[in-house]
Amino acid sequence: GAVVSQHPSRVICKSGTSVKIECRSLDFQATTMFWYRQFPKQSLMLMATSNEGSKATYEQGVEKDKFLINHASLTLSTLTVTSAHPEDSSFYICSASQPQGNQPQHFGDGTRLSIL
Amino acid sequence: AQSVTQLDSQVPVFEEAPVELRCNYSSSVSVYLFWYVQYPNQGLQLLLKYLSGSTLVKGINGFEAEFNKSQTSFHLRKPSVHISDTAEYFCAVRVNSGGSNYKLTFGKGTLLTVNP
């Protein structure tokens, strides 16, 4: 089945650090990738939709300058949390869709970000 | 816009008992329907999906779901649960369209706890 790899799985760093999270589709070309944030015991909140070769589409209330998204190839999208602060601590999950319209999203295993 | 309601935030059951996790949705257009499972500190894994055709859909791990258009429901069932089924379950919908870049709308999740 389709596999999405997300790296790193866990990051602990100091306040003010920028953190990059990678999302790769391993066995298919993903024209669209999605980035979610999940707070403890809550559902997934869509942050942005990343399209290969174009600018990401951010959801209302998500700071595009804080959460930089790059989708440079059909198999890789990156999320960079710039100048991270403790309130950015969360579980970040990416997903990818295959080009065929009725295919489900396949999710990475998530990244636990902890800002001290 | 679409919305998803998972009526139960928590469902405790005993091992080998049957379980039903309820999901209702609202949409002005046709949708695809999905159930995902999330184990602690992991991403989401697709359990099953309804795209078209037979309204009874079978998925992995012995789960099945039935699409009921008149009641706008997509309840998840398993006739006999195991301890290992303890996890968070998310119902999701997306627009039924030829494009792959449509967002998933998630319910708030149901925590299934299987007790010995």
Side-chain angles (χ1 to χ4, degrees):
Chain A
V3 177
V4 173
S5 173
Q6 187 172 340
H7 179 80
S9 59
R10 186 175 181 96
V11 180
I12 302 172
C13 57
K14 295 180 179 180
S15 184
T17 305
S18 291
V19 178
K20 180 184 283 188
I21 303 170
E22 292 187 349
C23 181
R24 294 180 184 273
S25 58
L26 297 184
D27 54 358
F28 65 97
Q29 293 184 330
T31 51
T32 305
M33 291 184 172
F34 302 87
W35 286 96
Y36 298 86
R37 183 173 180 176
Q38 187 178 31
F39 293 100
K41 300 188 185 301
Q42 293 190 30
S43 189
L44 281 71
M45 181 191 78
L46 180 65
M47 300 174 65
T49 302
S50 170
N51 295 297
E52 187 267 338
S54 64
K55 291 184 179 181
T57 303
Y58 289 82
E59 295 300 300
Q60 189 173 9
V62 177
E63 299 177 59
K64 57 182 67 177
D65 293 332
K66 160 68 84 173
F67 300 101
L68 300 179
I69 290 173
N70 185 289
H71 193 156
S73 77
L74 285 171
T75 59
L76 174 64
S77 177
T78 60
L79 167 68
T80 301
V81 184
T82 61
S83 187
H85 293 286
E87 59 266 28
D88 298 322
S89 298
S90 194
F91 193 55
Y92 294 86
I93 308 175
C94 72
S95 72
S97 280
Q98 295 169 273
Q100 297 82 2
N102 62 1
Q103 294 301 308
Q105 291 182 23
H106 299 280
F107 287 80
D109 279 339
T111 298
R112 175 74 57 192
L113 177 62
S114 300
I115 308 298
L116 305 177
Chain B
Q2 295 75 46
S3 67
V4 178
T5 302
Q6 290 183 244
L7 296 163
D8 305 299
S9 60
Q10 297 187 51
V11 174
V13 295
F14 287 109
E15 193 173 17
E16 297 183 4
V19 71
E20 178 179 84
L21 305 184
R22 295 180 293 171
C23 173
N24 287 87
Y25 69 93
S26 173
S27 177
S28 58
V29 297
S30 293
V31 294
Y32 296 138
L33 296 146
F34 307 88
W35 274 100
Y36 287 89
V37 60
Q38 185 179 34
Y39 299 101
N41 295 310
Q42 293 187 28
L44 274 65
Q45 180 182 4
L46 180 68
L47 275 179
L48 47 77
K49 61 187 178 187
Y50 173 78
L51 305 179
S52 64
S54 173
T55 56
L56 183 62
V57 180
K58 294 189 183 296
I60 62 171
N61 302 341
F63 284 93
E64 63 180 32
E66 186 156 20
F67 169 55
N68 188 318
K69 188 175 182 179
S70 63
Q71 296 186 5
T72 60
S73 68
F74 191 54
H75 301 330
L76 182 70
R77 303 185 184 99
K78 185 168 182 177
S80 176
V81 294
H82 302 289
I83 300 285
S84 58
D85 292 322
T86 295
E88 189 86 28
Y89 291 79
F90 292 98
C91 181
V93 302
R94 58 153 280 199
V95 171
N96 176 341
S97 170
S100 65
N101 59 348
Y102 286 94
K103 300 180 282 190
L104 279 175
T105 300
F106 284 93
K108 291 189 175 182
T110 298
L111 176 62
L112 173 64
T113 304
V114 181
N115 298 301

